[in-house]
Amino acid sequence: MKRLANLTNGIIKENPVLVLVLGTCPTLAVSTQASNAVGMGIAATAVLLGSNIFISLLRNIIPDKVRIPCYIVLIAGFVTVAQMIVQAYAYSLYEALGIYLPLIVVNCIILGRAEMFANKNGVLDSALDAIGMGAGFTLTLLVMASIREILGSGTWFGMQVPWLVDNNVSIMTMAPGGFIIFGCMIALVNKITKGKGRGSSDAGCEGCPSAAACGKVAEQEVSL
């Protein structure tokens, strides 16, 4: 049951975008087209899976004081591989994602799961967590991009939607439209979970990638 929870928590209860509110920048940037959203979701999931597995394997070897730089080096390696694969086999997607593909390196979802979960759990649990979080991220991107593309462009995966193709709401493809849909989806998930989803505030300071450099954490340690 615990492993099943690790796999499914990322879909709704601990959705990285709609509950933990991580990865907002790429979510808003690439969610104008459904095809781009799926591509970004798959790439981020692949990087998240690889980094979680390797960080879990090396968690007892990596010195605590340099764990964040080590995580970033590992993540950057997987992002480079993913970027080269996308460039080789899906060049149109590579061009569409642009700078947001290499910026997966600093995606808060990946670094956050490395620090909060992979650093404290075994390989299998870390892999399941990565798959669940990646699925939640991808589904969120797909739903958000589908709404924005259908309403804003009158298309879906490049296919024209009758009537809407000639009567689209162009603001949906712009930043204001992205924030509107983003806010509505957060409200919907909050309604479904009745406000009981695990937010970032529930994770505690230890779940933050910058916890080691935080003055608040230092003050807590001194008081203890």
Side-chain angles (χ1 to χ4, degrees), residues 46 78-91 93-94 101:
F78 284 108
V79 170
T80 301
V81 172
Q83 185 178 0
M84 293 172 68
I85 292 173
V86 173
Q87 185 177 10
Y89 296 101
Y91 190 73
L93 176 63
Y94 173 79
L101 185 57

Side-chain angles (χ1 to χ4, degrees), residues 47 59 64 76 123 125 129 146 157 159 165-166 174-175:
V47 172
R59 69 184 190 279
D64 187 62
V123 175
D125 288 332
D129 177 75
S146 296
F157 282 99
M159 300 179 292
V165 69
D166 297 317
M174 304 177 187

Side-chain angles (χ1 to χ4, degrees), residues 54-111:
F54 272 79
I55 288 169
S56 179
L57 285 170
L58 300 173
R59 69 184 190 279
N60 295 324
I61 300 174
I62 298 175
D64 187 62
K65 291 184 178 180
V66 294
R67 67 184 187 282
I68 300 300
C70 290
Y71 295 167
I72 293 175
V73 170
L74 282 169
I75 294 169
F78 284 108
V79 170
T80 301
V81 172
Q83 185 178 0
M84 293 172 68
I85 292 173
V86 173
Q87 185 177 10
Y89 296 101
Y91 190 73
S92 59
L93 176 63
Y94 173 79
E95 288 190 318
L97 294 180
I99 190 62
Y100 294 102
L101 185 57
L103 281 179
I104 293 176
V105 174
V106 290
N107 191 311
C108 296
I109 298 172
I110 297 173
L111 189 57

